Amino acid sequence: MGADGVKVRTVTQTEKEKRRQQHVVRRQQRGRAGVGNLRPLPPVRTGSAEGFKELKLGLFYDQEKSRRHLLATGGNHEEFGRRLRQQAEALGLEQAQETLSLTDGGPWIRKQILEHLPYLGAMVLDFYHLSEHIWETARCCLREGEAAGW
């Protein structure tokens, strides 16, 4: 299984208001020209308070990746953990011969996996994040420059 948190762009209330006003102006211009839709705009829907929202994703798959199951939530990490457990139970993950997780090593991910999927055989840090940490350590120990490069 794999897990990660991703930031997704949302439309803020300010952006919605700006877009709606632009839409009103365009409709008025088309109305004066005698073309276009003259029906009123649909009711206003509120926008997001922030420009981004974090989604938490979990992916279960077999070794061949012929069977995949994705879950996503906009809830907090505890909600993610509960959903992770529910989906693992529904898929019968506990009966699998081999189980492991491949993640970026985020503390919240590790905590939820340990709490809700204690039967996993291994937790593996993905290569991209592993190499990122290795280079960060090299820069810290050897500073920037030729000595830090291998």
mmCIF file of all heavy atoms in Angstrom, residues 90-119:
data_model
loop_
_atom_site.group_PDB
_atom_site.id
_atom_site.type_symbol
_atom_site.label_atom_id
_atom_site.label_comp_id
_atom_site.label_asym_id
_atom_site.label_seq_id
_atom_site.Cartn_x
_atom_site.Cartn_y
_atom_site.Cartn_z
ATOM 1 N N ALA A 90 -11.966 -4.366 4.275
ATOM 2 C CA ALA A 90 -12.859 -4.721 3.166
ATOM 3 C C ALA A 90 -12.119 -5.491 2.075
ATOM 4 O O ALA A 90 -12.684 -6.378 1.433
ATOM 5 C CB ALA A 90 -13.507 -3.460 2.586
ATOM 6 N N LEU A 91 -10.846 -5.177 1.881
ATOM 7 C CA LEU A 91 -10.049 -5.842 0.845
ATOM 8 C C LEU A 91 -9.411 -7.144 1.335
ATOM 9 O O LEU A 91 -8.834 -7.883 0.546
ATOM 10 C CB LEU A 91 -8.944 -4.894 0.349
ATOM 11 C CG LEU A 91 -9.424 -3.646 -0.379
ATOM 12 C CD1 LEU A 91 -8.285 -2.657 -0.552
ATOM 13 C CD2 LEU A 91 -10.043 -4.008 -1.712
ATOM 14 N N GLY A 92 -9.492 -7.406 2.636
ATOM 15 C CA GLY A 92 -8.879 -8.613 3.185
ATOM 16 C C GLY A 92 -7.365 -8.545 3.218
ATOM 17 O O GLY A 92 -6.686 -9.567 3.071
ATOM 18 N N LEU A 93 -6.818 -7.359 3.428
ATOM 19 C CA LEU A 93 -5.368 -7.171 3.393
ATOM 20 C C LEU A 93 -4.647 -8.021 4.444
ATOM 21 O O LEU A 93 -3.546 -8.498 4.219
ATOM 22 C CB LEU A 93 -5.028 -5.693 3.604
ATOM 23 C CG LEU A 93 -3.575 -5.289 3.402
ATOM 24 C CD1 LEU A 93 -3.165 -5.488 1.949
ATOM 25 C CD2 LEU A 93 -3.350 -3.853 3.812
ATOM 26 N N GLU A 94 -5.281 -8.250 5.564
ATOM 27 C CA GLU A 94 -4.653 -9.013 6.642
ATOM 28 C C GLU A 94 -4.347 -10.450 6.216
ATOM 29 O O GLU A 94 -3.418 -11.066 6.726
ATOM 30 C CB GLU A 94 -5.556 -9.012 7.880
ATOM 31 C CG GLU A 94 -4.838 -9.426 9.135
ATOM 32 C CD GLU A 94 -5.647 -9.145 10.384
ATOM 33 O OE1 GLU A 94 -6.742 -8.573 10.295
ATOM 34 O OE2 GLU A 94 -5.165 -9.530 11.454
ATOM 35 N N GLN A 95 -5.103 -10.971 5.242
ATOM 36 C CA GLN A 95 -4.874 -12.345 4.783
ATOM 37 C C GLN A 95 -3.820 -12.428 3.676
ATOM 38 O O GLN A 95 -3.469 -13.524 3.238
ATOM 39 C CB GLN A 95 -6.183 -12.966 4.263
ATOM 40 C CG GLN A 95 -7.126 -13.400 5.365
ATOM 41 C CD GLN A 95 -7.939 -12.246 5.945
ATOM 42 O OE1 GLN A 95 -8.405 -11.397 5.202
ATOM 43 N NE2 GLN A 95 -8.086 -12.217 7.241
ATOM 44 N N ALA A 96 -3.294 -11.304 3.223
ATOM 45 C CA ALA A 96 -2.299 -11.320 2.146
ATOM 46 C C ALA A 96 -1.014 -12.003 2.622
ATOM 47 O O ALA A 96 -0.652 -11.920 3.800
ATOM 48 C CB ALA A 96 -1.991 -9.893 1.689
ATOM 49 N N GLN A 97 -0.325 -12.673 1.701
ATOM 50 C CA GLN A 97 0.912 -13.374 2.043
ATOM 51 C C GLN A 97 2.025 -12.395 2.404
ATOM 52 O O GLN A 97 2.796 -12.643 3.325
ATOM 53 C CB GLN A 97 1.359 -14.253 0.877
ATOM 54 C CG GLN A 97 0.436 -15.417 0.636
ATOM 55 C CD GLN A 97 0.849 -16.214 -0.586
ATOM 56 O OE1 GLN A 97 1.737 -15.836 -1.330
ATOM 57 N NE2 GLN A 97 0.178 -17.330 -0.787
ATOM 58 N N GLU A 98 2.128 -11.326 1.649
ATOM 59 C CA GLU A 98 3.136 -10.302 1.917
ATOM 60 C C GLU A 98 2.455 -8.946 1.899
ATOM 61 O O GLU A 98 1.633 -8.669 1.020
ATOM 62 C CB GLU A 98 4.231 -10.311 0.846
ATOM 63 C CG GLU A 98 5.145 -11.510 0.900
ATOM 64 C CD GLU A 98 6.229 -11.401 -0.151
ATOM 65 O OE1 GLU A 98 5.903 -11.554 -1.342
ATOM 66 O OE2 GLU A 98 7.383 -11.136 0.236
ATOM 67 N N THR A 99 2.827 -8.110 2.858
ATOM 68 C CA THR A 99 2.265 -6.759 2.911
ATOM 69 C C THR A 99 3.370 -5.769 3.236
ATOM 70 O O THR A 99 4.244 -6.048 4.068
ATOM 71 C CB THR A 99 1.178 -6.649 3.994
ATOM 72 O OG1 THR A 99 1.721 -7.039 5.247
ATOM 73 C CG2 THR A 99 -0.038 -7.494 3.659
ATOM 74 N N LEU A 100 3.337 -4.631 2.563
ATOM 75 C CA LEU A 100 4.278 -3.565 2.867
ATOM 76 C C LEU A 100 3.688 -2.228 2.448
ATOM 77 O O LEU A 100 2.738 -2.169 1.663
ATOM 78 C CB LEU A 100 5.637 -3.796 2.212
ATOM 79 C CG LEU A 100 5.729 -3.806 0.690
ATOM 80 C CD1 LEU A 100 6.036 -2.409 0.173
ATOM 81 C CD2 LEU A 100 6.825 -4.747 0.264
ATOM 82 N N SER A 101 4.279 -1.188 2.996
ATOM 83 C CA SER A 101 3.867 0.151 2.598
ATOM 84 C C SER A 101 5.059 0.851 1.975
ATOM 85 O O SER A 101 6.200 0.642 2.392
ATOM 86 C CB SER A 101 3.353 0.952 3.806
ATOM 87 O OG SER A 101 4.418 1.234 4.695
ATOM 88 N N LEU A 102 4.790 1.666 0.984
ATOM 89 C CA LEU A 102 5.798 2.468 0.314
ATOM 90 C C LEU A 102 5.310 3.905 0.404
ATOM 91 O O LEU A 102 4.317 4.268 -0.240
ATOM 92 C CB LEU A 102 5.945 2.036 -1.151
ATOM 93 C CG LEU A 102 6.938 2.838 -1.994
ATOM 94 C CD1 LEU A 102 8.348 2.665 -1.463
ATOM 95 C CD2 LEU A 102 6.854 2.413 -3.446
ATOM 96 N N THR A 103 5.971 4.705 1.242
ATOM 97 C CA THR A 103 5.512 6.076 1.475
ATOM 98 C C THR A 103 6.689 7.035 1.515
ATOM 99 O O THR A 103 7.847 6.630 1.443
ATOM 100 C CB THR A 103 4.745 6.193 2.803
ATOM 101 O OG1 THR A 103 5.655 5.993 3.884
ATOM 102 C CG2 THR A 103 3.619 5.181 2.901
ATOM 103 N N ASP A 104 6.366 8.312 1.696
ATOM 104 C CA ASP A 104 7.410 9.336 1.771
ATOM 105 C C ASP A 104 7.973 9.522 3.175
ATOM 106 O O ASP A 104 8.806 10.369 3.405
ATOM 107 C CB ASP A 104 6.898 10.667 1.220
ATOM 108 C CG ASP A 104 5.811 11.292 2.074
ATOM 109 O OD1 ASP A 104 5.522 10.785 3.167
ATOM 110 O OD2 ASP A 104 5.244 12.303 1.636
ATOM 111 N N GLY A 105 7.499 8.759 4.134
ATOM 112 C CA GLY A 105 8.048 8.823 5.480
ATOM 113 C C GLY A 105 7.486 9.931 6.347
ATOM 114 O O GLY A 105 8.022 10.216 7.410
ATOM 115 N N GLY A 106 6.413 10.571 5.899
ATOM 116 C CA GLY A 106 5.789 11.615 6.713
ATOM 117 C C GLY A 106 5.372 11.047 8.062
ATOM 118 O O GLY A 106 4.813 9.947 8.120
ATOM 119 N N PRO A 107 5.650 11.768 9.148
ATOM 120 C CA PRO A 107 5.314 11.243 10.479
ATOM 121 C C PRO A 107 3.835 10.889 10.647
ATOM 122 O O PRO A 107 3.508 9.881 11.279
ATOM 123 C CB PRO A 107 5.710 12.377 11.430
ATOM 124 C CG PRO A 107 6.672 13.220 10.667
ATOM 125 C CD PRO A 107 6.315 13.058 9.223
ATOM 126 N N TRP A 108 2.943 11.680 10.077
ATOM 127 C CA TRP A 108 1.511 11.392 10.225
ATOM 128 C C TRP A 108 1.141 10.108 9.496
ATOM 129 O O TRP A 108 0.290 9.350 9.956
ATOM 130 C CB TRP A 108 0.648 12.574 9.767
ATOM 131 C CG TRP A 108 0.638 12.821 8.298
ATOM 132 C CD1 TRP A 108 1.454 13.662 7.597
ATOM 133 C CD2 TRP A 108 -0.240 12.234 7.339
ATOM 134 N NE1 TRP A 108 1.150 13.622 6.259
ATOM 135 C CE2 TRP A 108 0.106 12.756 6.080
ATOM 136 C CE3 TRP A 108 -1.283 11.316 7.420
ATOM 137 C CZ2 TRP A 108 -0.551 12.399 4.913
ATOM 138 C CZ3 TRP A 108 -1.939 10.953 6.252
ATOM 139 C CH2 TRP A 108 -1.572 11.492 5.016
ATOM 140 N N ILE A 109 1.797 9.844 8.366
ATOM 141 C CA ILE A 109 1.516 8.614 7.609
ATOM 142 C C ILE A 109 1.995 7.408 8.413
ATOM 143 O O ILE A 109 1.258 6.436 8.594
ATOM 144 C CB ILE A 109 2.200 8.641 6.225
ATOM 145 C CG1 ILE A 109 1.638 9.770 5.367
ATOM 146 C CG2 ILE A 109 2.057 7.291 5.525
ATOM 147 C CD1 ILE A 109 2.382 9.989 4.073
ATOM 148 N N ARG A 110 3.217 7.491 8.895
ATOM 149 C CA ARG A 110 3.789 6.392 9.680
ATOM 150 C C ARG A 110 2.912 6.083 10.890
ATOM 151 O O ARG A 110 2.607 4.926 11.169
ATOM 152 C CB ARG A 110 5.203 6.768 10.121
ATOM 153 C CG ARG A 110 5.928 5.655 10.822
ATOM 154 C CD ARG A 110 7.393 6.062 11.095
ATOM 155 N NE ARG A 110 8.173 4.927 11.484
ATOM 156 C CZ ARG A 110 8.176 4.404 12.711
ATOM 157 N NH1 ARG A 110 7.431 4.920 13.647
ATOM 158 N NH2 ARG A 110 8.919 3.362 12.989
ATOM 159 N N LYS A 111 2.487 7.113 11.610
ATOM 160 C CA LYS A 111 1.658 6.923 12.802
ATOM 161 C C LYS A 111 0.350 6.216 12.457
ATOM 162 O O LYS A 111 -0.059 5.279 13.151
ATOM 163 C CB LYS A 111 1.369 8.265 13.458
ATOM 164 C CG LYS A 111 0.517 8.142 14.691
ATOM 165 C CD LYS A 111 0.221 9.494 15.309
ATOM 166 C CE LYS A 111 -0.660 9.270 16.534
ATOM 167 N NZ LYS A 111 -1.527 10.326 16.818
ATOM 168 N N GLN A 112 -0.311 6.638 11.386
ATOM 169 C CA GLN A 112 -1.596 6.042 11.022
ATOM 170 C C GLN A 112 -1.429 4.603 10.547
ATOM 171 O O GLN A 112 -2.258 3.745 10.848
ATOM 172 C CB GLN A 112 -2.305 6.899 9.963
ATOM 173 C CG GLN A 112 -2.697 8.272 10.459
ATOM 174 C CD GLN A 112 -3.495 8.222 11.748
ATOM 175 O OE1 GLN A 112 -4.439 7.460 11.896
ATOM 176 N NE2 GLN A 112 -3.110 9.054 12.706
ATOM 177 N N ILE A 113 -0.365 4.329 9.818
ATOM 178 C CA ILE A 113 -0.123 2.952 9.373
ATOM 179 C C ILE A 113 0.144 2.048 10.570
ATOM 180 O O ILE A 113 -0.415 0.957 10.674
ATOM 181 C CB ILE A 113 1.030 2.891 8.344
ATOM 182 C CG1 ILE A 113 0.570 3.513 7.024
ATOM 183 C CG2 ILE A 113 1.503 1.456 8.136
ATOM 184 C CD1 ILE A 113 1.668 3.670 5.998
ATOM 185 N N LEU A 114 0.999 2.489 11.488
ATOM 186 C CA LEU A 114 1.305 1.675 12.667
ATOM 187 C C LEU A 114 0.070 1.445 13.532
ATOM 188 O O LEU A 114 -0.119 0.362 14.076
ATOM 189 C CB LEU A 114 2.410 2.339 13.495
ATOM 190 C CG LEU A 114 3.803 2.307 12.879
ATOM 191 C CD1 LEU A 114 4.770 3.150 13.702
ATOM 192 C CD2 LEU A 114 4.313 0.884 12.727
ATOM 193 N N GLU A 115 -0.773 2.450 13.633
ATOM 194 C CA GLU A 115 -1.966 2.337 14.465
ATOM 195 C C GLU A 115 -3.054 1.485 13.822
ATOM 196 O O GLU A 115 -3.693 0.674 14.483
ATOM 197 C CB GLU A 115 -2.514 3.734 14.770
ATOM 198 C CG GLU A 115 -3.713 3.730 15.681
ATOM 199 C CD GLU A 115 -4.185 5.134 16.032
ATOM 200 O OE1 GLU A 115 -3.359 6.067 16.021
ATOM 201 O OE2 GLU A 115 -5.390 5.283 16.303
ATOM 202 N N HIS A 116 -3.268 1.663 12.521
ATOM 203 C CA HIS A 116 -4.421 1.031 11.876
ATOM 204 C C HIS A 116 -4.095 -0.199 11.036
ATOM 205 O O HIS A 116 -4.995 -0.970 10.695
ATOM 206 C CB HIS A 116 -5.164 2.063 11.025
ATOM 207 C CG HIS A 116 -5.759 3.158 11.851
ATOM 208 N ND1 HIS A 116 -6.907 2.989 12.584
ATOM 209 C CD2 HIS A 116 -5.350 4.426 12.086
ATOM 210 C CE1 HIS A 116 -7.197 4.112 13.226
ATOM 211 N NE2 HIS A 116 -6.270 4.997 12.943
ATOM 212 N N LEU A 117 -2.829 -0.381 10.669
ATOM 213 C CA LEU A 117 -2.424 -1.560 9.888
ATOM 214 C C LEU A 117 -1.207 -2.217 10.545
ATOM 215 O O LEU A 117 -0.140 -2.336 9.927
ATOM 216 C CB LEU A 117 -2.087 -1.154 8.443
ATOM 217 C CG LEU A 117 -3.160 -0.427 7.645
ATOM 218 C CD1 LEU A 117 -2.633 -0.021 6.280
ATOM 219 C CD2 LEU A 117 -4.416 -1.251 7.519
ATOM 220 N N PRO A 118 -1.333 -2.655 11.793
ATOM 221 C CA PRO A 118 -0.161 -3.170 12.515
ATOM 222 C C PRO A 118 0.407 -4.468 11.945
ATOM 223 O O PRO A 118 1.523 -4.847 12.260
ATOM 224 C CB PRO A 118 -0.708 -3.397 13.933
ATOM 225 C CG PRO A 118 -2.162 -3.625 13.750
ATOM 226 C CD PRO A 118 -2.563 -2.759 12.574
ATOM 227 N N TYR A 119 -0.343 -5.148 11.090
ATOM 228 C CA TYR A 119 0.100 -6.430 10.540
ATOM 229 C C TYR A 119 0.962 -6.280 9.288
ATOM 230 O O TYR A 119 1.399 -7.275 8.731
ATOM 231 C CB TYR A 119 -1.108 -7.317 10.222
ATOM 232 C CG TYR A 119 -2.199 -6.588 9.465
ATOM 233 C CD1 TYR A 119 -2.117 -6.412 8.097
ATOM 234 C CD2 TYR A 119 -3.288 -6.059 10.147
ATOM 235 C CE1 TYR A 119 -3.095 -5.727 7.419
ATOM 236 C CE2 TYR A 119 -4.278 -5.384 9.472
ATOM 237 C CZ TYR A 119 -4.175 -5.209 8.108
ATOM 238 O OH TYR A 119 -5.145 -4.527 7.436
#
